[in-house]
Amino acid sequence: MTWAEAAARPLCLLSGDMQNRRILDAIAGRAGVRLAPKIATNSFLGVLAHLRRGPWCAILPHTFGMVFAGVTDLRLMPLTEPGHAQEIGLVLADRMPQSPMVRALQDCALRAATERVFSAMRAG
């Protein structure tokens, strides 16, 4: 689905003051379209609730595919033209000892980075 096709759907998106929404607006702008959601909310939980209860569409990070696993009445579609990938960073307070949750998050991020490097090496 193109960004223009997505913009023509009845959208439920995060509100304009949310960083994710600002990112979506910028990508849509590069595609030459404007996002005009019928519903705006300040949480992904709100977006998800609307998706399950009405005729709404949303533009979400691809990782939400895990959230929707097994939900038969929702369909995930990749957006094209323009494609988009975004790097994210992890900032942690320099404290010792770290909480178990912070340590688990850091370990997960390090594993993901390592897997990405090895995947690129296999592909190259």
Side-chain angles (χ1 to χ4, degrees):
M1 175 176 288
T2 67
W3 280 80
E5 291 168 328
R9 304 281 178 149
L11 292 174
C12 174
L13 299 175
L14 290 177
S15 55
D17 61 327
M18 304 294 288
Q19 178 63 14
N20 180 272
R21 173 63 186 282
R22 290 190 293 265
I23 292 167
L24 295 181
D25 287 342
I27 300 166
R30 286 197 308 270
V33 298
R34 182 178 166 276
L35 300 177
K38 304 289 185 202
I39 297 176
T41 180
N42 66 354
S43 74
F44 278 121
L45 186 57
V47 171
L48 299 177
H50 285 289
L51 287 177
R52 295 299 313 272
R53 293 289 178 198
W56 309 110
C57 299
I59 301 172
L60 301 167
H62 75 281
T63 52
F64 274 74
M66 293 180 283
V67 174
F68 295 129
V71 179
T72 58
D73 57 339
L74 294 177
R75 187 169 81 176
L76 297 171
M77 300 174 67
L79 284 175
T80 60
E81 300 176 32
H84 180 76
Q86 185 157 338
E87 294 281 330
I88 60 169
L90 178 61
V91 178
L92 303 172
D94 187 14
R95 289 192 193 131
M96 287 300 170
Q98 289 179 326
S99 73
M101 208 53 147
V102 167
R103 184 69 195 150
L105 178 60
Q106 185 175 11
D107 289 346
C108 182
L110 290 171
R111 274 194 310 277
T114 302
E115 289 173 14
R116 188 172 57 243
V117 168
F118 284 119
S119 292
M121 289 171 53
R122 281 184 287 234

